[in-house]
Amino acid sequence: MRSKLNATTTLFGSFATLQPGQRVLLLNSDDPALARWALEMVAPDGQVIALHSSHRALGALARVPGLETAATIYPDPAQHGPADVALLEVPKGREAARAWLWTAAQSVRPGGWLYLAGANAAGAKSAINDAEALLGAAPVLGHKGGHRVALATRPESLSLPPAWGDTRPWEPRTVRLMHAGREYPVVTMPGLFSWNELDEGTALLLDCLTSETAGAGLDVLDVGCGYGIVGMVAAQAGAQVTLIDDDLRAVRCAREGVRLNGLDARCTVMPGDVAEGLGDRRFDLVLSNPPFHRGIDVTTGTAHQIVRASHDVLKPGGRLLVVANRFLPYDRTITEVFGAARIVAETTRFYVIEGVRPGP
């Protein structure tokens, strides 16, 4: 198997050994080509199960004939084990990588194999070191284009390496955030943006949420909600809020945070890629702190997509509020789509930009 676009897929195809009849876990890879190759290798009686934290990625993988997908985020040995082989594409973030390693190791049978591959810039070297600490030897099998692939064998028994501490990154946890003298309990987990602290940009956006901007009678959409702090604050101001995120870890945490704060009657949390699944619903206010990274790459494509989709789901006279780093020229896109952009709050590093959909 060859892939000119995905070095990690090429490494798996070149160095991983799969055999007919095996049960294989495909972890954190969004490449349908890798899924098709794995299915071909284990045919006719094998099984390939794909897990990913991205709702969008799972949707694309679900279209591969014969591939099973699961929405548990991380492997569950009761559902997905015992697997013979796991192929793990190393995620960005060491704690997120440890979450995949631990849950994958639990779901692979003793003597089974765990291949892990990824970009050096995304932390592949650290992930391989962690695989060695957890599973024993994890020799590097090959390199390609700044990527590497390694192989570890699942031992009879597993224990968490002392160097990992007690973070248990595959489990959500409650964190209490402070903003403007008020405490906000949220449920969060490693791998989410600013998962253990309130970042400056989000804090600036929260400053804009009052009973006037997000009060009773208003329908609010929080796009890319993360663990849900923005949407929950809007709900506490009186609004009815829909929170949406592509990351299934975010969806899980936001739902638990909504329950923790007693906001079930005012909040709906759903998985989706930007405005996917909203149908003909329309909102008075759209809020977003858009991501500008995908993996290890800097990209503003998602933010521009959010701006355009927001115009479509806003009621006439409805408002979009986006927070961004000052060096990101989202005001240009908002002006292009909405006709004008206005800065409503700013610091030396961030600004909140408003777009208003013209009335009928």
Side-chain angles (χ1 to χ4, degrees), residues 39-55:
L39 286 164
E40 181 181 348
M41 293 298 101
V42 303
D45 301 320
Q47 181 184 30
V48 180
I49 306 170
L51 295 96
H52 205 289
S53 59
S54 165
H55 173 76

Side-chain angles (χ1 to χ4, degrees), residues 268 277 330 352:
T268 300
Y330 294 160
V352 177

Side-chain angles (χ1 to χ4, degrees), residues 13-359:
S14 300
F15 293 96
T17 299
L18 304 183
Q19 299 177 353
Q22 285 187 323
R23 183 181 180 92
V24 176
L25 299 181
L26 182 62
L27 308 177
N28 195 47
S29 171
D30 61 1
D31 190 348
L34 180 60
R36 289 191 291 267
W37 170 79
L39 286 164
E40 181 181 348
M41 293 298 101
V42 303
D45 301 320
Q47 181 184 30
V48 180
I49 306 170
L51 295 96
H52 205 289
S53 59
S54 165
H55 173 76
R56 173 191 52 78
L58 278 180
L61 291 168
R63 293 191 287 272
V64 176
L67 181 69
E68 297 184 31
T69 58
T72 58
I73 306 173
Y74 297 119
D76 177 355
Q79 297 183 51
H80 309 124
D84 299 293
V85 180
L87 305 177
L88 169 61
E89 181 167 337
V90 176
K92 182 181 179 182
R94 192 163 194 175
E95 287 194 302
R98 286 174 172 175
W100 282 108
L101 282 170
W102 175 251
T103 54
Q106 287 191 310
S107 301
V108 171
R109 63 172 174 80
W113 292 346
L114 172 60
Y115 292 91
L116 59 158
N120 296 331
K125 295 180 181 179
S126 295
I128 292 170
N129 289 337
D130 284 334
E132 290 178 337
L134 176 63
L135 302 169
V140 174
L141 305 180
H143 304 79
K144 180 180 176 63
H147 292 61
R148 61 184 55 211
V149 61
L151 171 62
T153 301
R154 158 63 149 100
E156 190 67 33
S157 60
L158 292 171
S159 60
L160 286 174
W164 290 23
D166 192 30
T167 59
R168 305 180 70 82
W170 52 91
E171 296 178 350
R173 68 201 67 182
T174 300
V175 173
R176 299 187 179 278
L177 306 178
M178 294 297 300
H179 176 67
R182 182 173 177 180
E183 184 178 81
Y184 295 94
V186 300
V187 178
T188 181
M189 63 193 305
L192 299 182
F193 169 69
S194 192
W195 70 272
N196 60 349
E197 62 182 0
L198 186 65
D199 69 288
E200 184 182 343
T202 298
L204 185 64
L205 183 57
L206 293 181
D207 290 338
C208 300
L209 301 183
T210 66
S211 58
E212 180 179 348
T213 59
L218 296 180
D219 289 319
V220 174
L221 175 65
D222 180 3
V223 180
C225 65
Y227 47 79
I229 181 65
V230 172
M232 287 190 290
V233 170
Q236 289 170 342
Q240 291 293 132
V241 184
T242 299
L243 302 91
I244 189 169
D245 203 295
D246 177 64
D247 193 320
L248 297 177
R249 294 168 298 185
V251 173
R252 176 181 177 180
C253 289
R255 283 175 175 165
E256 294 188 20
V258 164
R259 287 193 291 270
L260 177 65
N261 286 276
L263 294 170
D264 301 75
R266 291 185 180 175
C267 293
T268 300
V269 184
M270 58 186 291
D273 190 9
V274 187
E276 173 195 358
L278 294 175
D280 58 359
R281 295 184 59 192
R282 296 296 178 262
F283 299 87
D284 300 289
L285 176 65
V286 175
L287 304 167
S288 188
N289 184 355
F292 62 94
H293 288 93
R294 184 178 291 277
I296 60 174
D297 299 320
V298 175
T299 175
T300 59
T302 299
H304 296 317
Q305 186 182 358
I306 289 172
V307 171
R308 292 182 170 85
S310 296
H311 181 274
D312 294 338
V313 301
L314 280 169
K315 301 173 184 177
R319 304 167 64 203
L320 165 68
L321 291 179
V322 171
V323 63
N325 294 72
R326 293 299 297 258
F327 64 83
L328 296 171
Y330 294 160
D331 54 327
R332 300 177 189 172
T333 303
I334 293 175
T335 299
E336 174 189 337
V337 174
F338 285 84
R342 182 173 72 95
I343 297 175
V344 297
E346 59 186 324
T347 66
T348 57
R349 298 182 58 226
F350 295 90
Y351 61 168
V352 177
I353 319 159
E354 177 192 66
V356 179
R357 177 167 180 168

